Amino acid sequence: MPEVVTYLEMTSSDELNAAPSIPEVSLERAHAGSPLIRELTERVGRPCGWRTVSWSDQKWAEFLANPDVQAWLITHEDGPALADTR
């Protein structure tokens, strides 16, 4: 079976369709140096076979140093919203 790679990109805020808000859930921009970016990417990506799970510290640093890269975290109450990936 051929591998299918799908990307999702929003290139304009006009493409955003807002949903009703949930007070306990928010979307927050993560600082590029936040260890949560790598931790959560690996946690979610490992079961899906994402290539980023094998990136070196240097590769992550280079990626996050790019000013065009933004990381956003969904938070629930006081911490990151984590899906059970088992």
Side-chain angles (χ1 to χ4, degrees):
M1 176 185 287
E3 178 180 337
V4 176
V5 178
T6 304
Y7 296 92
L8 176 63
E9 179 180 13
M10 184 175 75
T11 58
S12 168
S13 59
D14 295 337
E15 298 174 7
L16 179 64
N17 295 317
S21 64
I22 301 170
E24 302 85 20
V25 177
S26 64
L27 181 64
E28 298 177 11
R29 187 169 177 188
H31 181 273
S34 172
L36 280 176
I37 297 170
R38 184 174 182 177
E39 176 186 336
L40 295 175
T41 299
E42 289 178 353
R43 181 174 176 174
V44 172
R46 189 169 308 283
C48 299
W50 291 359
R51 293 177 293 225
T52 52
V53 299
S54 62
W55 281 6
S56 66
D57 291 341
Q58 181 171 343
K59 175 76 174 176
W60 272 105
E62 291 169 2
F63 176 73
L64 294 173
N66 181 338
D68 294 330
V69 171
Q70 296 181 20
W72 294 80
L73 299 174
I74 299 172
T75 60
H76 180 257
E77 296 176 349
D78 293 329
L82 302 174
D84 185 356
T85 57
R86 287 177 272 157

